[in-house]
């Protein structure tokens, strides 16, 4: 059996939560023991799965897609910014939150997972290429909050990498692999931020598309790391998604 791989709609996160909080009697029915949710930030459909040649995502399309399930009936229903997309994804609820704004109000999968499973923060990790404005690993929900937060690191002053170049994406991958070996987390949320940053600052679309290819390489590297690790190889489900898209005519805007 191989690790299962899925490209998913936001609502699918709720299904993941159901798996994680299942009763002990029902839990035996599920093969998945570990879940990775990974985000290719701010990419356009026309440059990824909407491109008939799939030029910029060769690993995603040619190597990973045949091993998983591709779901494309996927829509934005709110402001298309980073904080909004990640908060909606990790909570399974529509959270309208601006970048750098308040915490999401509904509990994250991390909080529900840690509460139900009685595990330490090291068993749930979020690793972000983007800075602190992009995501917070716990909600303001009165029944959950900081005591159920995940371990978290983002690309800012506390790391040697950030979202500004290919090295930042490589740093994210290296950190995820590090915590896989060190903590063996069962729930991992990952963001590679170079694609979105390039979309905002690139002078030419080729620079933006180069970030796609770089992220594609990092996703492939992470997949292979999962396959090479006996703890993760079989009982792991990987969800690959994006947090928001971009304009079709001017790629600089969301």
């Amino acid at each position: 059996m191989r690790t299962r791989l899925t490209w998913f709609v936001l609502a699918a996160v709720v299904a993941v939560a159901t798996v994680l909080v299942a009763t002990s009697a029902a839990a035996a029915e599920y093969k998945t023991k570990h879940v990775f949710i990974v985000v290719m930030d701010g990419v356009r459909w026309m440059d990824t799965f909407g491109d008939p040649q799939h030029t910029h995502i060769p690993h995603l399309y040619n190597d990973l897609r045949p091993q998983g399930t591709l779901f494309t009936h996927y829509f934005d229903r709110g402001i298309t910014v980073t904080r909004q997309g990640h908060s909606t994804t990790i909570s399974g609820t529509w959270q309208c939150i601006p970048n750098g704004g308040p915490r999401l109000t509904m509990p994250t999968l991390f909080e529900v997972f840690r509460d139900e499973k009685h595990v330490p923060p090291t068993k749930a990790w979020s690793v972000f290429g983007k800075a602190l404005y992009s995501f917070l690993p716990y909600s303001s929900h009165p029944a959950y909050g900081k005591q159920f937060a995940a371990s978290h690191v983002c690309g800012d002053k506390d790391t040697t990498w950030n979202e500004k170049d290919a090295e930042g994406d490589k740093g994210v991958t290296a950190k995820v692999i590090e915590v896989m070996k060190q903590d063996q987390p069962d729930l991992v949320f990952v963001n590679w931020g170079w694609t979105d940053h390039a979309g905002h600052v690139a002078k030419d679309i080729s620079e933006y598309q180069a970030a796609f290819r770089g992220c594609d390489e990092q996703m492939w590297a992470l997949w292979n790391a999962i396959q090479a690790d006996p703890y993760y190889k079989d009982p792991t489900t990987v969800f690959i998604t994006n947090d928001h898209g971009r304009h079709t005519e001017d790629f600089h805007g969301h």
Side-chain angles (χ1 to χ4, degrees):
M1 186 179 84
R2 292 191 50 95
T3 302
R4 285 174 286 174
L5 181 72
T6 305
W7 286 265
F8 77 124
V9 68
L10 295 180
V13 177
V14 177
V16 177
T18 303
V19 172
L20 294 174
V21 302
T23 64
S24 57
E29 300 174 9
Y30 295 103
K31 296 179 180 179
T32 296
K33 296 181 180 179
H34 324 295
V35 174
F36 284 66
I37 303 171
V38 301
V39 178
M40 193 178 192
D41 201 306
V43 296
R44 298 194 305 179
W45 167 256
M46 65 177 64
D47 297 304
T48 53
F49 291 101
D51 169 19
Q53 304 302 318
H54 308 101
T55 305
H56 310 299
I57 53 167
H59 290 304
L60 282 176
Y61 194 80
N62 299 318
D63 299 317
L64 295 177
R65 179 189 55 86
Q67 301 183 57
T69 299
L70 177 61
F71 189 90
T72 61
H73 196 68
Y74 195 161
F75 299 93
D76 284 317
R77 291 185 178 175
I79 55 173
T80 56
V81 296
T82 297
R83 188 77 161 267
Q84 149 101 18
H86 290 122
S87 296
T88 296
T89 301
I90 201 62
S91 69
T93 63
W94 297 109
Q95 295 281 298
C96 187
I97 298 173
N99 287 340
R103 295 182 184 277
L104 67 166
T105 59
M106 298 300 290
T108 64
L109 290 180
F110 303 129
E111 294 163 90
V112 176
F113 171 64
R114 287 197 56 213
D115 182 34
E116 292 289 333
K117 297 296 184 180
H118 308 291
V119 294
T122 52
K123 298 302 286 183
W125 261 95
S126 62
V127 181
F128 271 62
K130 301 180 80 70
L132 189 61
Y133 73 86
S134 62
F135 182 72
L136 292 173
Y138 62 91
S139 71
S140 62
H141 193 285
Y144 292 93
K146 188 175 182 179
Q147 68 269 32
F148 296 113
S151 298
H152 175 67
V153 65
C154 58
D156 54 18
K157 63 181 181 179
D158 297 324
T159 68
T160 58
W161 39 264
N162 54 47
E163 63 183 301
K164 295 182 179 180
D165 53 31
E167 293 306 308
D169 279 1
K170 292 177 183 178
V172 169
T173 306
K175 182 63 179 180
V176 175
I177 294 173
E178 176 189 316
V179 300
M180 286 168 57
K181 295 177 179 178
Q182 175 181 293
D183 298 329
Q184 294 185 321
D186 297 317
L187 179 58
V188 183
F189 194 34
V190 184
N191 163 279
W192 286 278
W194 182 34
T195 45
D196 185 56
H197 182 79
H200 286 296
V201 304
K203 296 179 181 179
D204 186 273
I205 195 170
S206 63
E207 298 176 45
Y208 176 46
Q209 293 169 338
F212 284 65
R213 294 191 293 274
C215 189
D216 182 75
E217 290 285 348
Q218 296 313 305
M219 289 185 172
W220 180 234
L222 177 57
W223 172 257
N224 286 321
I226 291 170
Q227 294 306 311
D229 190 323
Y231 184 77
Y232 291 106
K233 181 178 184 298
D234 291 330
T236 300
T237 294
V238 180
F239 294 92
I240 298 177
T241 187
N242 63 320
D243 58 337
H244 62 79
R246 309 195 79 82
H247 288 170
T248 56
E249 294 182 2
D250 177 10
F251 68 90
H252 292 100
H254 290 192

